[in-house]
Amino acid sequence: MNNILVFCEITEEQQIAEVSLELCSKARKLADRLSARLDAIVIGNDIKNIEEQLFPFGVDSVFYVNDPRLSFYQTLPFFSTITKLIQEETPEIVLFGATAVGRDLAPRIASYLRCGLTADCTSLEIGDHTDAKTKTVYKDILYQIRPAFGGNVMATIVCRKYRPQMATVRPGVMEMPAKDTTRTGEIIKVNSGVS
């Protein structure tokens, strides 16, 4: 249980959404800090050039669900497909864009898996956390940073015990570095499980 998983949204033009590319870029830095693999999940129908869109932003593996019935977002089929993959792959961290889709999907998944979720993060970091009461040190956990109290305070939220650590991240807040076109990865075809 060490990989990071990013849910990649698809635009109407059948391209990976920019917020998902921003998340992949940031997740690559987090994965490097953890010596972890960066995975992405793409759900849609006949999406072209996934490799060219995702590998340059640091993704190691793409779980690709190609199903004509999922050519547009549907809450329950997407929920069941992603939840099943999380249960099989047991990622340490799962990230979603704080979009209409991400805000619908992430809370359902977190509730079902009984894990924490921080919404509308503006920054993500990896660090250690010491519980003030028990003095227990938790190593290499996700700092989920977001505005609180009307934006007057920046709150750092940690999920010490439950996995995966989940967050939605606001579009446009993560720096997107230049593409690294030398990167390669693996496409893993996954069945949707939709009957």
Side-chain angles (χ1 to χ4, degrees):
M1 185 167 74
N2 199 25
N3 59 316
I4 297 175
L5 179 65
V6 175
F7 167 66
C8 292
E9 291 185 43
I10 302 299
T11 66
E12 290 180 7
E13 295 78 27
Q14 298 294 292
Q15 299 293 308
I16 305 296
E18 190 165 320
V19 65
S20 299
L21 298 177
E22 293 170 7
L23 276 178
C24 289
S25 296
K26 180 60 178 184
R28 175 75 265 156
K29 293 176 184 174
L30 301 176
D32 289 344
R33 172 81 165 77
L34 294 170
S35 300
R37 191 178 77 231
L38 173 56
D39 298 329
I41 180 168
V42 176
I43 302 173
N45 180 41
D46 199 27
I47 309 299
K48 307 288 186 210
N49 305 318
I50 292 174
E51 303 93 335
E52 294 170 19
Q53 294 185 66
L54 287 175
F55 295 156
F57 291 98
V59 174
D60 296 310
S61 303
V62 177
F63 293 98
Y64 177 39
V65 181
N66 184 25
D67 189 324
R69 297 169 295 177
L70 301 179
S71 57
F72 60 91
Y73 177 67
Q74 300 170 69
T75 300
L76 294 180
F78 274 57
F79 160 80
S80 61
T81 300
I82 296 169
T83 302
K84 182 175 180 240
L85 181 68
I86 291 171
Q87 290 173 320
E88 290 171 357
E89 295 296 317
T90 62
E92 181 74 13
I93 297 167
V94 181
L95 303 175
F96 298 81
T99 62
V101 170
R103 288 175 172 150
D104 180 52
L105 201 50
R108 292 171 191 273
I109 293 170
S111 176
Y112 182 81
L113 296 175
R114 299 186 181 275
C115 63
L117 169 69
T118 301
D120 292 335
C121 293
T122 56
S123 183
L124 302 169
E125 301 297 334
I126 298 293
D128 298 338
H129 174 75
T130 303
D131 184 301
K133 185 175 181 182
T134 66
K135 305 301 182 211
T136 304
V137 177
Y138 298 89
K139 295 284 197 183
D140 294 330
I141 61 174
L142 182 66
Y143 290 177
Q144 301 157 73
I145 303 162
R146 58 151 297 149
F149 298 107
N152 295 324
V153 175
M154 294 303 285
T156 300
I157 300 165
V158 296
C159 183
R160 297 172 299 190
K161 298 180 182 178
Y162 300 101
R163 297 294 180 268
Q165 301 166 88
M166 290 180 56
T168 64
V169 178
R170 291 181 183 180
V173 298
M174 298 294 167
E175 181 183 334
M176 195 157 49
K179 292 181 181 182
D180 179 357
T181 55
T182 64
R183 289 191 62 90
T184 60
E186 176 184 18
I187 300 275
I188 303 165
K189 294 193 175 175
V190 178
N191 290 327
S192 66
V194 176
S195 52

